[in-house]
Amino acid sequence: MFKFENHIFFYAFAIIPICIAIYIWYAYRAKKNLKKLGDINLINQLVPDVSRAKKNTKFILFLIGFSFLILGICNLQTGSKLQDVKREGADIMVCLDVSNSMMAQDLSPNRLERAKIAIENMIDKLQGDRLGIVVFAGEAYVQLPITTDYSSAKLFWEGISNKIVPVQGTNIADAINLSVESFGKDEGKNKAIVIITDGENNEEAKESAVDAAEEAAKKNIVIHTIGVGSESGVPIPNIIDGIVNGYKKDNEGNTVVTKLDAKILQDISSASNGVYVQATSSDIGLDAIL
């Protein structure tokens, strides 16, 4: 957007045609006076260093400089237009997978910590929205009831770890159902659930998650899913006092590998008219969902 701060000074441009008229009149009078002295060609030979082109150039440069001076006084401004708008806040439940597979390090520093950093940044961008937090693994728990107290949300968020839920697994259906209950019965609100997980679970649990998403959609709740991790699979580290001490193994001594299951997350979001975003090391995908 462009505008001039001092419009009144535009009238100064009226001086330019007056200057041009005076200059033409002056040149005409000078030429007429020279003719009184003698032949013009002879005079030009007597004073060859006098250049009419230079005079004209100087006058043109003067006009250009004067024009820029007027524009400078008018003060051209650029920037955004300020406009009051009415923003309708939404109710957002963030469901974060805190199972052991979220400790995999295919995202830096690991899947869980990378998601926590992204959500803290998201909280800073909320305006009038209510936020709630659900953590889940084999079971789901409300970590923060839905609120507009973003400072409290950040405090609760800092305390989340993979030790917070004792039962391991990835029970997405339980997280969806608990989030739906946590919204309460407020009508007319935009309600959304954001699930951040690697989606890894057995087939029966996957079907339950899609069914839960379909039930949520009947209540006009949109579910967005963010897939964290790589589909090729990485081992799950054993972390003791912040230091990796080997990798988890199954009962047969084989290293456990965790893979992103994008298909189930796509099915969940599709069932509730939401979107699926696959996270990368540089972008979890919350900005796209917001």
Side-chain angles (χ1 to χ4, degrees):
M1 179 181 175
F2 300 91
K3 73 171 186 176
F4 289 94
E5 182 180 11
N6 306 310
H7 298 276
I8 189 68
F9 291 102
F10 272 114
Y11 290 109
F13 280 109
I15 299 174
I16 293 178
I18 297 174
C19 291
I20 294 173
I22 293 173
Y23 180 77
I24 293 173
W25 176 82
Y26 173 79
Y28 170 76
R29 288 297 302 270
K31 186 176 181 180
K32 188 175 181 181
N33 290 333
L34 283 175
K35 285 182 177 180
K36 292 180 180 179
L37 295 175
D39 184 69
I40 291 296
N41 293 328
L42 180 60
I43 293 173
N44 289 337
Q45 292 177 8
L46 293 173
V47 284
D49 294 333
V50 177
S51 173
R52 185 179 300 174
K54 287 182 180 180
K55 288 183 178 181
N56 292 338
T57 302
K58 289 179 181 179
F59 179 70
I60 292 171
L61 292 175
F62 165 77
L63 293 180
I64 293 173
F66 183 69
S67 299
F68 279 117
L69 176 62
I70 296 173
L71 289 174
I73 296 174
C74 290
N75 192 19
L76 176 65
Q77 296 177 326
T78 63
S80 301
K81 180 180 180 181
L82 297 179
Q83 183 178 359
D84 292 332
V85 295
K86 182 180 179 182
R87 187 179 186 282
E88 193 172 317
D91 284 353
I92 305 170
M93 292 297 298
V94 176
C95 301
L96 180 62
D97 185 353
V98 293
S99 61
N100 286 333
S101 62
M102 290 292 286
M103 300 306 294
Q105 297 174 324
D106 42 5
L107 296 182
S108 179
N110 58 55
R111 296 174 181 177
L112 180 58
E113 290 301 320
R114 185 68 188 85
K116 287 173 61 177
I117 292 170
I119 293 172
E120 285 185 17
N121 293 334
M122 182 198 75
I123 292 173
D124 291 332
K125 299 177 182 179
L126 297 180
Q127 300 177 16
D129 305 291
R130 296 199 304 170
L131 177 71
I133 300 172
V134 169
V135 294
F136 69 97
E139 297 176 348
Y141 299 91
V142 175
Q143 178 75 356
L144 175 70
I146 197 160
T147 180
T148 55
D149 188 348
Y150 302 144
S151 297
S152 296
K154 286 187 175 182
L155 288 175
F156 277 93
W157 204 251
E158 291 173 358
I160 294 177
S161 71
N162 66 317
K163 306 295 184 183
I164 201 170
V165 178
V167 181
Q168 284 300 307
T170 308
N171 194 336
I172 301 176
D174 197 11
I176 293 174
N177 293 331
L178 186 57
S179 296
V180 172
E181 294 175 8
S182 299
F183 281 126
K185 296 182 179 180
D186 291 342
E187 298 294 334
K189 274 278 190 179
N190 296 315
K191 299 177 182 179
I193 299 173
V194 180
I195 301 174
I196 305 176
T197 178
D198 52 30
E200 196 171 37
N201 213 326
N202 58 50
E203 291 300 324
E204 183 179 349
K206 292 176 183 178
E207 292 178 5
S208 298
V210 175
D211 291 340
E214 291 174 348
E215 290 299 316
K218 293 177 182 178
K219 299 178 180 179
N220 296 320
I221 298 173
V222 179
I223 301 177
H224 305 296
T225 55
I226 298 177
V228 292
S230 63
E231 295 181 88
S232 58
V234 293
I236 303 173
N238 285 315
I239 300 178
I240 302 175
D241 296 329
I243 301 174
V244 177
N245 184 20
Y247 294 91
K248 294 189 179 297
K249 299 183 182 297
D250 59 20
N251 294 331
E252 298 177 357
N254 300 316
T255 300
V256 177
V257 175
T258 173
K259 299 179 180 180
L260 168 65
D261 189 343
K263 179 63 169 58
I264 180 58
L265 300 181
Q266 291 169 351
D267 291 343
I268 291 171
S269 59
S270 296
S272 59
N273 300 314
V275 298
Y276 166 73
V277 180
Q278 183 162 338
T280 65
S281 295
S282 59
D283 182 15
I284 283 291
L286 282 169
D287 286 340
I289 287 177
L290 282 177

